[in-house]
Amino acid sequence: MEQTPLSRNRGSLDRARGWYVEDFLEHLAVERNLSRRTVHEYEADLRLFYEFFTPYLDDGLTLEGMDERTLREFLSYLRRQRDYTPQGLNRKIACLKSYFRFLEKEGHITSSPMEQIRSARGGRLLPKVLSQDEVELILRTAQARMAEKPGEWGPIRDRAILEMFYATGMRLAELVGLNLSDLNLPEMTLRVTGKGNKQRMVFLNEAGLAALQAWLACRPRTRTDALFLNRFRDRLSRRAVELMFEKLKTEAGLEKAASPHTLRHSFATHMLEGGSDLVTIQELMGHQSLSTTQVYTNLSRERMRAVYESSHPRK
C-alpha cells in the first residue's frame, strides 16, 4: 500500500492516534474518489490542526472533548496569528466540517462540533463561469474530435458528457453515477442522485438528447448499468472526466481556468441571464438552500455591469 505524505511525516498526528485520521483519508480517496492532490491538501490541513492542539493532547484531550469553543480557538489562531485570509480560513473550515461529519456518521462522536461554525465573511469567491461562446467552442472541439476519429466511441461519449453537463447543471459525481435505468428519454428527463442520496429530476434539451442517443447507439455491451464507460467497459471515474475536459479545453485554445464543475456554474448563470427564476435553478441544481443559488445573482450582476460599461455610449 502506497504511503501518503501523512504517513511518511506524521509529526503531531502520532499524538492523535485513535482519532480515525487515516480512515477519513481513505474515505476521501476511495468512497468520495477525490484526486490525490485534494487528499494531500486535507492531510496538510489536519496536520496543522493537530499541531495546534499538541499541548491539549498532552493534557489528555479526547475526541469527545473537542467542542465548538475549542475549534473556534484554532480558527481564531489562524486568523489572528497566522494572518489567514477569509478564503484560506474557509478552506480549513470546509476540511474540518467534512472530517467531523465523517466521525459522526461512523459513530465515533455523537455530534459534530463544527455544526454551528459558519464560513468566514468575505471569503466566498464568485464561481468561475464560461461565456456562452466559450461553451460552444469546447462543444465544437468535441464535435471535431468525433469527425477526426470516425468509428471510435470515446469521442461520442465525451461529447455526450459535455452536453449533459451544460444541459442539466449536474455535479461531476452525479454524472458519473448515472445508470441506464435513470434515463427517461421519451420524457427527456434524468433521475439524478445528489448529496445525501437525495434524488431529483433534471431535464434534457434537444442537443443533450441527440448527443445522448448517439452515445447509446454505440455504447459497448457490458454487464454494468453505468451510463458512461471507460475503455475497460466499467463505470467512468471522475478523474477521467476531469482529464478529458482539460485536454479538450487545451485543444480548443481556451486558456481560462475551468473544469467540468465550471459547466455547472455556467449552466446556472446562463439560465439566470436567460430569464429563469432562482427557485427553479435551485431545484434543478439540487441546492438545499436558496442562499447557495443566490451567488449566481451576484455573478450575473458583475457580468451585466461589464456589459453596461462596455456598451453605454456615455463614458
Side-chain angles (χ1 to χ4, degrees):
M1 180 177 179
E2 181 185 357
Q3 281 191 320
T4 66
L6 192 67
S7 58
R8 291 195 297 265
N9 183 23
R10 299 195 61 86
S12 60
L13 282 170
D14 267 337
R15 300 175 181 270
R17 286 176 179 169
W19 288 41
Y20 310 101
V21 174
E22 291 290 355
D23 291 346
F24 172 62
L25 296 174
E26 288 185 9
H27 162 73
L28 296 178
V30 178
E31 296 180 36
R32 292 183 56 185
N33 195 28
L34 299 186
S35 68
R36 179 177 300 182
R37 177 181 176 181
T38 302
V39 174
H40 287 185
E41 289 172 349
Y42 273 91
E43 290 176 341
D45 290 342
L46 289 175
R47 187 181 303 114
L48 177 62
F49 177 66
Y50 281 116
E51 283 174 358
F52 173 79
F53 282 109
T54 294
Y56 299 85
L57 297 171
D58 290 340
D59 290 339
L61 176 66
T62 64
L63 192 56
E64 283 290 350
M66 189 73 75
D67 57 16
E68 181 181 333
R69 180 185 59 80
T70 308
L71 288 163
R72 289 190 187 278
E73 289 180 10
F74 169 65
L75 298 173
S76 178
Y77 157 77
L78 294 180
R79 188 70 182 96
R80 296 181 179 182
Q81 298 187 39
R82 297 288 293 266
D83 294 324
Y84 267 65
T85 64
Q87 291 88 348
L89 200 60
N90 283 341
R91 238 290 297 283
K92 299 296 183 290
I93 291 174
C95 170
L96 292 175
K97 280 183 177 290
S98 182
Y99 173 54
F100 282 101
R101 193 181 300 121
F102 166 79
L103 294 176
E104 181 182 2
K105 181 180 177 181
E106 294 295 312
H108 301 312
I109 57 176
T110 55
S111 62
S112 170
M114 291 293 297
E115 196 65 34
Q116 300 302 318
I117 294 180
R118 304 289 182 87
S119 298
R121 290 185 179 181
R124 188 171 190 177
L125 298 176
L126 292 177
K128 296 185 177 79
V129 301
L130 298 173
S131 68
Q132 294 183 40
D133 288 342
E134 289 168 335
V135 172
E136 287 296 329
L137 176 60
I138 291 179
L139 292 174
R140 286 198 304 271
T141 302
Q143 185 73 39
R145 185 186 284 182
M146 290 170 52
E148 293 170 0
K149 300 180 178 181
E152 295 187 20
W153 54 261
I156 300 174
R157 176 204 62 194
D158 295 346
R159 165 80 183 196
I161 287 173
L162 295 175
E163 289 284 5
M164 295 271 283
F165 269 129
Y166 191 49
T168 66
M170 70 176 67
R171 300 176 179 92
L172 176 55
E174 294 169 346
L175 181 132
V176 298
L178 284 172
N179 294 318
L180 294 173
S181 55
D182 293 322
L183 307 182
N184 187 336
L185 297 187
E187 297 292 331
M188 295 176 65
T189 60
L190 301 169
R191 180 180 58 211
V192 174
T193 303
K195 292 182 177 180
N197 288 324
K198 292 184 178 179
Q199 294 187 339
R200 68 183 189 279
M201 299 300 296
V202 298
F203 303 103
L204 281 174
N205 52 28
E206 293 290 347
L209 177 63
L212 184 56
Q213 288 176 325
W215 161 241
L216 292 174
C218 68
R219 177 183 178 274
R221 291 185 178 181
T222 180
R223 292 183 178 181
T224 179
D225 191 40
L227 175 58
F228 293 113
L229 308 175
N230 59 24
R231 61 192 179 95
F232 302 108
R233 303 189 179 188
D234 292 323
R235 186 180 300 276
L236 195 66
S237 70
R238 283 186 275 187
R239 186 57 183 156
V241 177
E242 290 172 340
L243 292 173
M244 175 272 289
F245 183 87
E246 184 64 29
K247 186 174 182 179
L248 272 174
K249 186 169 73 75
T250 301
E251 290 180 12
L254 189 61
E255 296 182 356
K256 179 185 291 186
S259 69
H261 203 69
T262 309
L263 289 177
R264 172 172 164 85
H265 294 316
S266 303
F267 160 84
T269 303
H270 298 165
M271 287 282 290
L272 187 63
E273 292 173 344
S276 177
D277 61 277
L278 282 175
V279 174
T280 298
I281 296 174
Q282 176 193 4
E283 291 294 327
L284 290 174
M285 298 189 75
H287 288 159
Q288 283 191 320
S289 171
L290 189 61
S291 62
T292 305
T293 315
Q294 285 174 332
V295 67
Y296 298 105
T297 303
N298 298 329
L299 183 62
S300 187
R301 284 174 183 161
E302 282 201 352
R303 291 169 66 88
M304 286 189 289
R305 180 72 185 183
V307 171
Y308 169 83
E309 292 180 346
S310 64
S311 304
H312 198 284
R314 184 79 170 172
K315 300 301 181 184

